[in-house]
Amino acid sequence: MKHALVVLKILPVLFVVVLSAPAWLTWPFLSGQRQQVVLDMVKTLAEWTRNTK
């Protein structure tokens, strides 16, 4: 049961990572402003995952 809860907490993060894969593949071709948007998204995601414990 405990393992199932861990998987349920990690599943949304994995979903976001998979969906953001195209952004990471195009990263070298993005302008500086667009790169900052992606970094801000990652920072927000990291903060969200820390707060859901």
Side-chain angles (χ1 to χ4, degrees):
M1 181 69 174
K2 186 176 183 180
H3 296 293
L5 292 175
V6 172
V7 170
L8 286 176
K9 284 185 176 183
I10 293 175
L11 196 58
V13 175
L14 291 176
F15 187 68
V16 170
V17 169
V18 169
L19 289 178
S20 66
W24 295 115
L25 293 174
T26 60
W27 175 265
F29 308 106
L30 296 176
S31 66
Q33 183 180 8
R34 296 276 174 128
Q35 287 180 349
Q36 189 59 46
V37 169
V38 175
L39 289 175
D40 291 342
M41 178 200 67
V42 171
K43 182 179 177 183
T44 302
L45 180 62
E47 290 173 1
W48 175 73
T49 56
R50 285 187 208 123
N51 293 331
T52 59
K53 289 183 180 179

